[in-house]
Amino acid sequence: MASDPIETRKSTEGMVDYNRNSSAQQQHAIMQADHIRRLVGKLGRVEPELRLVDYGCGPGMSAIETVRPAIETYRAQFADAPIAVCHSDQPGNDWNALFGLVNGPDGYLSDNGPLRVEAAVGSFYDRLVAENSVSLGTCFFASHWLSHAVRLNAPGTVLFNDLHGAARVQLAEMAYRDWVSFLRHRTAELKPGGYLLVSALGSVPDAAEANGAAAAGRGIYRAMQAVAQSMADDGMLDAEVLNGFVFSLWFMTATEASEAISGDPILATACEVEHLAVTPAPENPDDLFKDKVDDPAEYARLYVGYTKAFADSTLRTQLFEPSAQAPDAASELADEFYRRLDALYRAHTTTYACEIWHLTVALRRR
Ligand SMILES: C[S@@+](CC[C@H](N)C(=O)[O-])C[C@H]1O[C@@H](n2cnc3c(N)ncnc32)[C@H](O)[C@@H]1O
């Protein structure tokens, strides 16, 4: 049984067909607009330029909606002040899709003042831009991806929340280290007085759960586990590969997020926590696609599209390819997986509904 080794490969290589299947993330970015406007409003004029960095920007419209309110707010105050917008993600991000949107009719290049656009390519667990250069950093729906893929002793689950014993402790420790490392890098990159706004999926205390907390999206991961197990039972997936596979994700509770900051001497000294909370999504918090529940085919189509967008690269590299017996077999396994997932959602609909809690953290660099 695979256990312990932390792999060198990434937890995700990037998103698939993201723009069409990320309505939740787009709504979330729009929902954060007031928060972003408030933070930019507090910055005043920044010299030599206002630098915005969106970490884990992804390839879709949410990346545009994240920076737009910051540009508009600053430009309304300082018509001639230079702005630099930096989109940051891993090499595997669909950069052509992103810059197509930036340059397109719904992009932000119609801004009338001096504005330049840049990209920082790499992992947000490393330094990505110069120290003391960022006025506002944002990171939405991304920091819950851990720094590396893991293989653990994880039979019966692909979700951190359902792990037990040593496997759970090991992933919890990695999540803690990663969160501290992410924040230390961002804090170093912020200018004094600058802000970091992070929003990721979160967890809430729930005595009915084996580990005492309910994780956002638990229904989707339990649906994926059920489908993967059925394929292993039918001899299509390697049972040992499945038993060692877990998504390298951790959705923190408010206590986990906050104790990591207050318990780290560097972070506790370098920044103030302006806001930290886990809250239900403002729309459809109990079921992302609640509005379609009376149409099981459409409900299933939406859930499969949403799942594929964030999970496909992880499933391919960590489950299908290691199980594949022949060069084309991984794609066939993927097709079969999504066919079964679709059938599961049609048959059981709300049993595997995706609940959403957001962890939102705003920090100010002292
Ligand atoms: C679900 S998408 C979110 C995109 C966008 N921020 C949004 O709100 O829609 C997660 C993004 O995080 C990126 N990501 C995951 N791990 C990362 C890492 N270690 N460094 C940089 N980006 C990472 C992925 O490549 C992906 O583009």
Side-chain angles (χ1 to χ4, degrees):
M1 172 57 56
S3 69
D4 196 335
I6 292 174
E7 300 185 352
T8 51
R9 74 174 86 179
K10 301 180 189 88
S11 52
T12 170
E13 302 281 338
M15 305 291 113
V16 171
D17 202 7
Y18 190 66
N19 204 34
R20 277 202 297 142
N21 289 296
S22 55
S23 54
Q25 289 90 333
Q26 288 174 31
Q27 276 170 20
H28 169 265
I30 290 167
M31 186 189 96
Q32 292 291 346
D34 283 345
H35 207 154
I36 290 171
R37 285 193 193 98
R38 265 198 311 280
L39 295 179
V40 172
K42 292 204 267 185
L43 287 170
R45 184 165 179 140
V46 186
E47 299 297 344
E49 62 187 8
L50 177 89
R51 190 169 201 205
L52 310 170
V53 183
D54 184 30
Y55 300 95
C57 60
M61 268 313 283
S62 44
I64 312 292
E65 298 305 344
T66 300
V67 297
R68 195 195 307 279
I71 297 169
E72 289 174 355
T73 305
Y74 194 66
R75 186 59 75 224
Q77 292 177 280
F78 310 108
D80 61 345
I83 299 176
V85 179
C86 178
H87 298 282
S88 181
D89 208 297
Q90 304 183 107
N93 189 43
D94 188 344
W95 293 102
N96 285 338
L98 175 64
F99 285 106
L101 292 171
V102 168
N103 283 299
D106 296 324
Y108 53 79
L109 293 183
S110 55
D111 173 71
N112 289 322
L115 183 144
R116 68 189 168 80
V117 184
E118 55 185 27
V121 179
S123 168
F124 50 50
Y125 293 107
D126 296 320
R127 196 61 52 86
L128 282 163
V129 295
E131 292 186 6
N132 298 319
S133 71
V134 179
S135 310
L136 175 69
T138 46
C139 182
F140 293 163
F141 271 86
S143 57
H144 44 234
W145 286 101
L146 301 181
S147 54
H148 298 98
V150 286
R151 287 191 56 73
L152 296 168
N153 185 9
T157 184
V158 296
L159 174 64
F160 75 93
N161 199 48
D162 294 333
L163 290 172
H164 296 283
R168 183 176 168 87
V169 171
Q170 198 179 345
L171 205 60
E173 287 175 352
M174 182 176 168
Y176 179 92
R177 284 194 305 273
D178 278 353
W179 176 230
V180 170
S181 157
F182 172 85
L183 290 178
R184 281 187 181 185
H185 283 300
R186 299 300 75 79
T187 305
E189 291 167 351
L190 281 177
K191 280 167 123 39
Y195 292 98
L196 175 69
L197 179 61
V198 181
S199 189
L201 292 172
S203 295
V204 290
D206 181 346
E209 286 282 307
N211 286 303
R218 58 187 165 171
I220 287 188
Y221 294 92
R222 288 170 181 167
M224 283 195 271
Q225 169 62 32
V227 167
Q229 190 60 57
S230 76
M231 289 175 66
D233 293 345
D234 292 346
M236 303 172 88
L237 287 179
D238 182 321
E240 194 169 330
V241 170
L242 176 59
N243 287 345
F245 169 70
V246 63
F247 278 88
S248 207
L249 287 164
W250 194 279
F251 306 153
M252 285 179 282
T253 61
T255 305
E256 288 171 325
S258 136
E259 286 183 354
I261 300 170
S262 58
D264 182 72
I266 293 179
L267 294 176
T269 307
C271 52
E272 290 157 25
V273 178
E274 293 241 329
H275 174 89
L276 192 155
V278 175
T279 50
E283 280 183 32
N284 293 345
D286 299 332
D287 184 348
L288 186 55
F289 298 118
K290 189 179 194 150
D291 301 344
K292 300 292 179 198
V293 74
D294 294 333
D295 180 352
E298 180 63 2
Y299 187 82
R301 191 187 69 77
L302 289 168
Y303 266 108
V304 172
Y306 181 79
T307 305
K308 207 172 184 176
F310 75 83
D312 189 74
S313 75
T314 302
L315 290 168
R316 272 178 202 269
T317 54
Q318 297 172 43
L319 187 58
F320 304 145
E321 286 169 11
S323 287
Q325 309 278 341
D328 287 343
S331 290
E332 287 162 18
L333 289 174
D335 291 345
E336 179 63 13
F337 181 88
Y338 294 120
R339 197 190 61 70
R340 290 187 185 207
L341 191 63
D342 186 89
L344 188 75
Y345 269 106
R346 281 177 195 241
H348 297 282
T349 55
T350 55
T351 306
Y352 295 105
C354 176
E355 304 138 292
I356 305 272
W357 293 281
H358 296 137
L359 163 69
T360 306
V361 181
L363 299 180
R364 181 178 178 276
R365 165 92 193 269
R366 288 198 172 96

